[in-house]
Amino acid sequence: MSELSPDKKQPDNGSSASSHTLLEGRLGYQLETALLVRALTHRSYAYENGGLPTNERLEFLGDSVLGLVVTDTLYRTHPDLPEGQLAKLRAAVVNSRALAEVGRGLELGSFIRLGRGEEGTGGRDKASILADTLEAVIGAVYLDQGLGAASELVHRLFDPLIEKSSNLGAGLDWKTSLQELTAAESLGVPEYLVTETGPDHEKTFTAAARVGGVSYGTGTGRSKKEAEQQAAESAWRAIKAAAEERATAERTAVGAPDEAEADAAAGAEAVAQVRAQADSETGAGVEPGADGAADGEGATDTPSASPPSSPAAPAPEERPPGEPAGA
């Protein structure tokens, strides 16, 4: 094919046979050289070299193969998840950022054929270029080796990411999770204010997530989408924490009267027990005597309940007749 002619090659631009062999070793498959070269040809290189075929058609094919394998895996491994949750899981796996990370793991950037313009602006580590090239490589494996080989490659590269995404919960899509949370809390629809700094080839984006005119979190990233996701995560955590704190306070307020009533009831029960014990002890000192008297037992030991009689007053002395009193 025309893109393989010697005058069209760029030195050290990932098109040598040795570099292809290294990449094939990482992929685990030996591919037709022309097909692999096309999979690695970015449009910037093609345009600078007379309109060579690009990897865009292979990218289109590989995107479908990747989506099919990931969707089939999610469907089979999560039989109880509804369609909406399955869609979130797939979106967490099949997106530019995730594909770019897989591409970096393969050091795919060092094999891509790039134009001088992209080369000078950091294209080898650009997420969109890495993601597109990885999809093109998957498409090339499908054409050269068949669906079984392409499926095995996707599983080997993406199964760890699928497993990780299955445990993310709200982190599957922070923007969607934030929108669901603000709707549940009746706070309004989230908005994102994005600013950018730096040169075109090295921009940094900063996003602020606002809900109802209040800023709840910020995030930064190498793309607008990444910055918004980070801002949404920060806002989600802040709003969730406030909601949980409010719910705890409400439960405490509702439970306070019940606790007071329980304490009062316990106190009343304790007083009743003390009184009952006192009455029991008092009754124990009286009843046995009464019972003994009735049975004729212990009568000699039990003193009379009637008070002792007062001593009789002495009789007045008789005086002789005519003696005055007191004489």
Side-chain angles (χ1 to χ4, degrees):
M1 300 180 68
S2 59
E3 66 265 36
L4 300 180
S5 59
D7 60 324
K8 296 297 183 181
K9 292 183 179 180
Q10 289 185 353
D12 302 323
N13 200 24
S15 59
S16 67
S18 59
S19 66
H20 291 167
T21 301
L22 179 59
L23 177 59
E24 288 171 329
R26 294 175 183 176
L27 296 175
Y29 296 100
Q30 185 175 358
L31 304 178
E32 180 187 349
T33 302
L35 191 61
L36 180 57
V37 168
R38 179 178 293 192
L40 298 172
T41 302
H42 187 258
R43 61 177 178 270
S44 62
Y45 180 90
Y47 295 158
E48 290 182 9
N49 289 271
L52 299 175
T54 72
N55 63 3
E56 292 177 350
R57 283 171 53 84
L58 285 173
E59 172 200 337
F60 170 78
L61 180 60
D63 175 68
S64 297
V65 173
L66 174 63
L68 172 62
V69 175
V70 170
T71 302
D72 178 75
T73 301
L74 294 174
Y75 183 86
R76 296 177 186 277
T77 56
H78 299 282
D80 299 326
L81 285 185
E83 180 270 342
Q85 193 69 8
L86 288 172
K88 286 184 179 180
L89 279 172
R90 182 176 58 189
V93 176
V94 185
N95 64 74
S96 293
R97 183 170 57 178
L99 267 66
E101 286 303 313
V102 173
R104 291 187 182 102
L106 294 170
E107 297 183 355
L108 190 58
S110 62
F111 304 103
I112 301 174
R113 303 209 297 176
L114 286 177
R116 294 181 180 86
E118 283 290 355
E119 185 79 62
T121 58
R124 292 193 181 278
D125 195 48
K126 192 176 291 184
S128 59
I129 293 178
L130 287 170
D132 293 346
T133 305
L134 180 59
E135 289 178 332
V137 169
I138 293 172
V141 172
Y142 168 76
L143 285 180
D144 192 68
Q145 301 286 328
L147 181 58
S151 178
E152 190 279 332
L153 176 63
V154 170
H155 279 295
R156 179 153 45 86
L157 296 179
F158 287 89
D159 275 359
L161 184 57
I162 292 174
E163 183 178 357
K164 178 182 177 181
S165 298
S166 299
N167 299 320
L168 285 178
L172 285 174
D173 183 352
W174 287 113
K175 291 181 68 174
T176 300
S177 297
L178 176 60
Q179 187 167 345
E180 293 172 348
L181 178 61
T182 55
E185 296 292 325
S186 301
L187 297 176
V189 179
E191 299 176 337
Y192 299 91
L193 303 179
V194 182
T195 58
E196 58 183 67
T197 57
D200 290 341
H201 66 281
E202 200 174 347
K203 283 186 178 299
T204 298
F205 294 85
T206 301
R210 296 172 61 86
V211 182
V214 179
S215 179
Y216 285 93
T218 60
T220 60
R222 298 172 62 181
S223 68
K224 178 181 177 182
K225 183 177 181 179
E226 183 178 355
E228 288 179 346
Q229 284 287 340
Q230 289 191 13
E233 177 184 359
S234 179
W236 186 92
R237 294 187 185 280
I239 294 174
K240 187 70 173 179
E244 291 176 350
E245 183 177 349
R246 183 170 60 253
T248 300
E250 290 174 355
R251 286 195 299 269
T252 302
V254 171
D258 295 339
E259 293 176 1
E261 292 175 4
D263 291 342
E269 183 178 356
V271 171
Q273 290 177 352
V274 171
R275 287 178 177 175
Q277 183 176 0
D279 291 344
S280 176
E281 293 175 354
T282 302
V286 174
E287 292 301 326
D291 294 342
D295 296 336
E297 297 176 359
T300 57
D301 298 331
T302 305
S304 174
S306 56
S309 57
S310 301
E317 297 180 3
E318 295 184 0
R319 295 185 297 275
E323 184 177 346

